[in-house]
Amino acid sequence: MSQSEFFDLIKRLLGTEPSENDDFKSFEAFFDNDFMAFANEESSLADEAKAIQRLQKLEKRLEKFVKFPYTFAKRSIAIGGGFNSGKSSLVNSFIQQPNVQLPVGLNHTTKIPSYVLSSDRMSIQGFSDVGATVEIAPALYGQLTHKVIADLNFKRILPSITVEVPLTEGWFDHLCLLDTPGYNLAGGSTTKDRSRAVASLRGQDALIWVIGLDATGTVPSDDIDLLHDWRDLGLNEAPLYVVLNKADVKPSGDLQAILDEVTDTLKDEELEPVGISVYSAEEGQEYLHVGQGLEAFLRGQNKPHKPADLAEDLKLELEDIFSMYEKAIEQDEKSTKVLRDELNKLDLDLNVVGIDVDAADVLSEKIGKIKKIAQNRDFAPIKQKLAQVKQDMFSLVEAVLLSLVADDPESARTLNVVWRSPTRKEGNDASTNAGRPWYFTQATQSTGESRGSTSRHQGYIRDGKYIKTDAESLRIYEVAHEFNLSSTEMIARLRNLGFQVKDHMSVYTPVMAEAVQKELAAERWATKKNTEATSQARQLININQATAKELKRLLPGIGPKIAKRIVAYRRGNGLFRRIDDLANVQGISLKMVNQWFGYFSIDFSIVNDLHPKLERNLIHVLRQVKK
Ligand SMILES: Nc1nc2c(ncn2[C@@H]2O[C@H](COP(=O)(O)OP(=O)(O)OP(=O)(O)O)[C@@H](O)[C@H]2O)c(=O)[nH]1
Ligand SMILES: [Mg+2]
């Protein structure tokens, strides 16, 4: 093995771009643009920040699946055990292709975890930590042993390897074996190695623990400790299977006694494996077993349920998030209806009570105004939009998931069934649905017309939002009320702006709305300017454009030095993409960044993967913005 071969591999690893998943890119774009546009327009959900956070989490999960598709597509079974017990050999005993073998040996052989998947083609790929993959030749792979990797400090850039190779037929279609580095204190491992070994078992769907019978023929205490650690991870549903390997080195007459003893030990320790196999990896043969035999265990695991389970999980989460919106809008609509009903009653009451006619007129007119406003709150458009956004989001996530199981029709089919089966609370008319997924019914109604186009509705602008109404035209007095102005003030304002208006019954047009809105905004801005403190707090800083002088003036707690450093950092490292990147600047702590939330004009939708300490603040700020 020449050094140049290694350097070539390193060069390729560092120089390869992560592979792109177009479906995921579509999802990302939809989330950042269409969904965010919807979220901005929607105003019923008070706790919208939470919904958005949950969606961002879901996006992260999807992204991980896209980077490492086998974590989605396959059930993964970790192979753990002490050094030299024959973990890699066990995997090799399933490989049907003689020129591909995991490296085996006597002295701490496995260093980089290998994911082994069954496949008709044969390929060995290195995964860099950003999700880039490079092909590794079998001969080179065979030499990637503990020592070589340690010498070249290789593990950091090559955290895992995937080996695709034909495995025993019918056992592994939906499985992925994870060959882990060995561990035992007696063999020179440290406690750090131990926590690492346990950590590598996290997130695996099952564990096969390998014990080499060449050592003592009992379960080493190191193994028992580690298995307890593993159980303590809380993976209660992940089954444990034990392989007593190297049966060929023991007299066959001893094997039953060894199996009995191991069974008792594990029982006493309450580790409860679903089966124990006395096996020889070298011969690829099982001698004895209790509970499930090795083949039965693997065949039992080999079911295409993992993608379906994960898909169901994601689906329920998405539905839950959207139901937050649905409930909030419904609630809002209900309260508006109650308001309307109450106002109607009030009108009737006035007639019955028989108060002074003039007073009744005045009251009645006021009630009329409020009623009109309540009537004009039309929830149909936002509901329709929500249904559309939801349907789009579901189709996009589905596309991403399907892309991950593209080469496994069986998994794709089970995933499809789960994803498209109606769930708990979708309130669509069952007769029109007739066996179709609920979101398709909506799709056929709305696809083509509504997506992406802003329809030209009647409406007015309030607080920077265009409020649509499907009712007949709005009158000036109605809108005046919305702006907290009297009709006379509103008319004067419009005339000042050059509009010809007769009286408060005149129609209020979108052109007027825009002009008034602009003027009011300018006035508000001017008022704010008066108080230096507020103006400082509200003037948003574009962190990627601000000069050092501006930064010093606008950001609390920094002097000219740090301001200059921020600019220098930007020049050296490129634009700030996340708010917490600021904490990389010398002299700026996370705590300081925490205080600066709401100061920047950075769009929060690009603030992904935020430092957990800052996340809480972001939620707070989003809530304020919402108000
Ligand atoms: N006789 C016999 N030897 C075996 C058997 N399985 C593995 N060995 C030998 O045991 C040694 C260790 O095997 P590996 O598969 O590298 O063990 P490992 O558990 O992967 O070891 P690390 O990666 O170092 O943790 C090798 O020399 C193998 O040839 C077996 O069933 N019978
Ligand atoms: Mg090994």
Side-chain angles (χ1 to χ4, degrees), residues 82 84-89 102-105 108-111 179-182:
N84 229 14
S85 55
K87 299 176 292 298
S88 303
S89 301
L102 307 192
V104 298
H108 303 192
T109 308
T110 306
K111 178 74 173 174
D179 181 30
T180 64

Side-chain angles (χ1 to χ4, degrees), residues 364-374 477-478 487:
S364 184
E365 199 206 317
K366 289 208 163 138
I367 293 168
K369 281 183 192 170
I370 306 173
K371 227 182 342 189
K372 199 79 183 234
I373 291 163
Y477 74 90
E478 292 171 304
S487 301

Side-chain angles (χ1 to χ4, degrees), residues 475-486:
R475 307 285 151 177
I476 284 172
Y477 74 90
E478 292 171 304
V479 183
H481 177 92
E482 282 292 324
F483 283 111
N484 266 332
L485 296 171
S486 71

Side-chain angles (χ1 to χ4, degrees), residues 81-90 92 103-111 179-183 210 214 245-249 279-283:
F83 285 127
N84 229 14
S85 55
K87 299 176 292 298
S88 303
S89 301
L90 173 67
N92 282 340
V104 298
L106 285 174
N107 207 353
H108 303 192
T109 308
T110 306
K111 178 74 173 174
D179 181 30
T180 64
Y183 154 84
V210 183
D214 53 340
N245 189 33
K246 311 195 191 182
D248 54 286
V249 300
Y279 188 80
S280 162
E282 204 150 274
E283 297 167 349

